[in-house]
Amino acid sequence: MYDKSDPRSALAPKDAPAGPRTGLVAEPQEAYFYNEAPQIDDATGKTWLLRGHNFVLAWSQAGEGACFPRSGQVDEYAVLLPETGAVIEWNGQKADVPGWSIAFVPGGDSTVTLPAGGPMARLFTTRSDDLVKQCSNARGYDVPRSHIPEFSPWPEPTGGWKIRHYSLDIPKEDGRFGRIFRCTTMMVNVLDPFDGPRDSSKMSPHHHDDFEQCSLAIGGEFSHYLRWPWTTDMADWREDRTVTMGSPSALVIPPPVIHTTRAVGPQRNQLVDIFCPPRIDFSEKPGWVLNADDYPMPS
């Protein structure tokens, strides 16, 4: 149920599920990085970790010169740099990545160094078991989410493995939804910011059948509205919730919960949506994925 001004209103409708599903485990996962103790507090700075079904989000407030190594990393990961730049090294390659960029780093041994420090988000799959164990909600998925498929990576990038990075300084374009980038493991949509509160007459409540959405707030304040659908089993029913979060913070929204988000901060509000693996429907929209030439879709 998207507002007609929302580019997602042009997405092709999906077939309805075969029938009502019961016994769903559909609990959101919340992290308030701005007022919770970090999971890591050492010479690199402070790092908070939150997991979803398929991914781990590591949010760091790094000190000057902080270095974040990964040894034997099992698969590709993403690095979001909202303010300051980083030096990323992998397999003899070195990339100087400016601030307000996103980078994708292949598996294996790599380092991310922030010469000036600053905020950084890294996104890994839950195949990185060492990170899963450190998450604030490490036990949050002990009960299986049987309606969410297991993670499967997308095809290898065109031209082989290397560090790839992209500027987020991309102007808004009519008909395109945010600034979407994907790799073999993640899809990241750096949404257009709201200066002041979002128009409450143009909300877009919707749901996903079988994948989570992680909404990462990197500036401002947001209210997330959640409504659980009624199945034939009242044990699945929940009261509506409004989750209001400052920044930085993250909310993992489970399927099939109906949700919409409103920017409510008085100044600039910046949200980033994260999906693991990438979304097919967004990828099928011409021009929406800005690095589609580098990362092919599954056949």
Side-chain angles (χ1 to χ4, degrees):
M1 193 191 304
Y2 298 108
D3 179 80
K4 63 183 179 180
S5 65
D6 191 316
R8 291 171 294 177
S9 63
L11 292 172
K14 284 189 172 183
D15 294 333
R21 294 166 295 175
T22 59
L24 293 177
V25 179
E27 302 302 329
Q29 307 294 312
E30 305 168 36
Y32 302 81
F33 306 138
Y34 55 92
N35 66 4
E36 294 178 348
Q39 281 66 60
I40 300 172
D41 189 350
D42 59 17
T44 64
K46 300 178 187 296
T47 295
W48 294 258
L49 296 108
L50 177 76
R51 68 160 297 182
H53 186 267
N54 293 331
F55 69 91
V56 172
L57 164 62
W59 175 267
S60 298
Q61 186 62 48
E64 290 186 12
C67 181
F68 298 84
R70 292 297 295 166
S71 178
Q73 171 63 30
V74 66
D75 49 17
E76 194 172 28
Y77 67 98
V79 180
L80 177 67
L81 299 165
E83 295 180 13
T84 57
V87 178
I88 301 178
E89 298 183 68
W90 170 84
N91 198 32
Q93 298 178 17
K94 181 177 178 180
D96 291 306
V97 184
W100 197 228
S101 296
I102 188 168
F104 300 115
V105 186
D109 297 345
S110 61
T111 60
V112 180
T113 304
L114 280 74
M120 172 181 65
R122 289 171 297 153
L123 302 167
F124 305 88
T125 72
T126 49
R127 296 173 69 192
S128 293
D129 187 60
D130 62 313
L131 299 177
V132 172
K133 292 175 181 177
Q134 298 180 77
C135 289
S136 60
N137 63 333
R139 307 304 300 272
Y141 289 79
D142 284 0
V143 179
R145 271 61 161 170
S146 59
H147 56 302
I148 303 177
E150 291 301 315
F151 171 78
S152 180
W154 278 31
E156 293 186 8
T158 303
W161 294 108
K162 62 180 180 180
I163 302 166
R164 290 175 165 85
H165 62 92
Y166 310 91
S167 172
L168 299 175
D169 190 15
I170 297 169
K172 185 176 181 179
E173 182 179 307
D174 288 343
R176 193 189 72 222
F177 184 53
R179 289 157 287 189
I180 302 175
F181 297 88
R182 70 176 182 232
C183 67
T184 59
T185 57
M186 302 286 166
M187 174 175 278
V188 180
N189 186 5
V190 181
L191 296 164
D192 297 315
F194 285 95
D195 289 318
R198 179 180 179 179
D199 185 344
S200 62
S201 70
K202 295 182 177 179
M203 304 303 292
S204 295
H206 62 286
H207 80 282
H208 310 300
D209 286 330
D210 59 3
F211 62 86
E212 293 177 325
Q213 172 179 315
C214 177
S215 290
L216 168 66
I218 61 174
E221 185 177 4
F222 294 86
S223 288
H224 305 279
Y225 302 92
L226 308 177
R227 171 165 288 183
W228 278 253
W230 287 4
T231 71
T232 54
D233 185 348
M234 289 182 68
D236 295 328
W237 299 7
R238 301 285 187 274
E239 294 292 331
D240 290 355
R241 284 192 64 194
T242 300
V243 181
T244 299
M245 313 177 83
S247 58
S249 64
L251 176 71
V252 182
I253 302 169
V257 171
I258 301 163
H259 59 278
T260 190
T261 295
R262 181 174 184 243
V264 295
Q267 298 183 11
R268 174 148 291 201
N269 302 281
Q270 181 67 66
L271 198 67
V272 178
D273 283 345
I274 299 158
F275 306 96
C276 178
R279 289 179 62 161
I280 289 285
D281 56 351
F282 282 8
S283 295
E284 289 177 335
K285 294 293 291 181
W288 277 30
V289 179
L290 297 170
N291 66 336
D293 290 343
D294 291 340
Y295 288 93
M297 290 180 61
S299 58

